[in-house]
Amino acid sequence: MEPTPDLSPAATLTDAEFAQFQALLRGITGIHLSEFKKTLLAARLGSRLRARQARTFTDYYKIVKNPQEAGELQLAIDLLTTNETFFFREPEHFQVLKDYIAALRPVPSPFRVWSAASSSGEEAYSIAMVLADVLGGGKWEVAGSDISTRVLERARAGLYPLERNGGIPTDYLHRFCLKGQGPQEGMMLIGKQLRERVHFAQVNLNEPIPDLGRFDLIFLRNILIYFQNDQKRKVVEAILPRLKPQGLLIVGHSENLMGVSDRVRQVRPTVYRGA
Ligand SMILES: C[S@@+](CC[C@H](N)C(=O)[O-])C[C@H]1O[C@@H](n2cnc3c(N)ncnc32)[C@H](O)[C@@H]1O
């Protein structure tokens, strides 16, 4: 028998309900959703309302606020974060990484890089390809972290649709990626030699950061744009102790640390050196 189509009218999100979710998201992640994002929030959570048979956004809010519903809250956070990313996004930063290593005598061992809002892993694996290229079998590692468990699962699998490999230099594609066959037809798998060196963990940058050790470079790209200034300051302050002296902190092209931290020195737009 055909499943009965869901003909119930979509719930409308009132201003008061929007304000509740806005505060919830900000409290947990630090992300500020402006008033213009009301339609987006309603669209992104709509499927969860239906799945949980919540008639109104207030009903769904009660569900996610229930301490027994941590899984549902995580699903809501997953849906409300924007996870857009791609391999070798903002490619100059990968040249910065190469140049930084080329100037080091000796290269610290292990050489460590953190992709601090790694989304589904493309940034962390792009970094790993560069490190495998310039440091080869030497001691190096990449940490990737994100608040969203949904993207972290994809990152750990290291399996991507073939059409997403556009930014990867052809040479790297041949050396570090495998073309999926059989059930993985149309997909590309990151080679084991890289997957073994890249570790992903859930880290909420809005909470005390776990002891991940210190890093030579930290990529904190395309996340600060979602924060207001006080939140940017809080996150950068929390991250800086994880940067080795003279290490580099890299932000996205539409971001900067002006008025955010005076503990770093800008070496070029979007690239900062720690004290
Ligand atoms: C637009 S993606 C950027 C991905 C990658 N850095 C890049 O530049 O392509 C932003 C990521 O930040 C994550 N994020 C948002 N708030 C976070 C928080 N408080 N802690 C950790 N990650 C967070 C989101 O889940 C999302 O995957």
Short mmCIF file of all heavy atoms in Angstrom, two decimals, residues 8 17 165 237:
data_model
loop_
_atom_site.label_atom_id
_atom_site.label_comp_id
_atom_site.label_asym_id
_atom_site.label_seq_id
_atom_site.Cartn_x
_atom_site.Cartn_y
_atom_site.Cartn_z
N SER A 8 -0.74 17.50 6.38
CA SER A 8 -0.95 18.48 7.44
C SER A 8 -0.23 19.77 7.09
O SER A 8 0.87 19.74 6.55
CB SER A 8 -0.43 17.92 8.77
OG SER A 8 0.89 17.48 8.59
N GLU A 17 8.66 32.40 18.78
CA GLU A 17 9.30 31.08 18.64
C GLU A 17 10.68 31.23 18.01
O GLU A 17 11.64 30.57 18.43
CB GLU A 17 8.42 30.16 17.80
CG GLU A 17 7.16 29.69 18.54
CD GLU A 17 6.16 28.99 17.61
OE1 GLU A 17 6.11 29.32 16.41
OE2 GLU A 17 5.43 28.12 18.10
N ASN A 165 35.55 16.70 -6.30
CA ASN A 165 37.01 16.72 -6.21
C ASN A 165 37.65 17.85 -7.01
O ASN A 165 38.87 17.94 -7.11
CB ASN A 165 37.60 15.35 -6.60
CG ASN A 165 37.44 15.06 -8.08
OD1 ASN A 165 37.17 15.96 -8.87
ND2 ASN A 165 37.61 13.81 -8.46
N GLU A 237 40.24 33.79 21.82
CA GLU A 237 40.97 33.69 23.10
C GLU A 237 41.14 32.23 23.51
O GLU A 237 42.16 31.83 24.04
CB GLU A 237 40.21 34.42 24.22
CG GLU A 237 40.37 35.92 24.21
CD GLU A 237 41.83 36.34 24.29
OE1 GLU A 237 42.48 35.98 25.29
OE2 GLU A 237 42.32 37.02 23.36
#
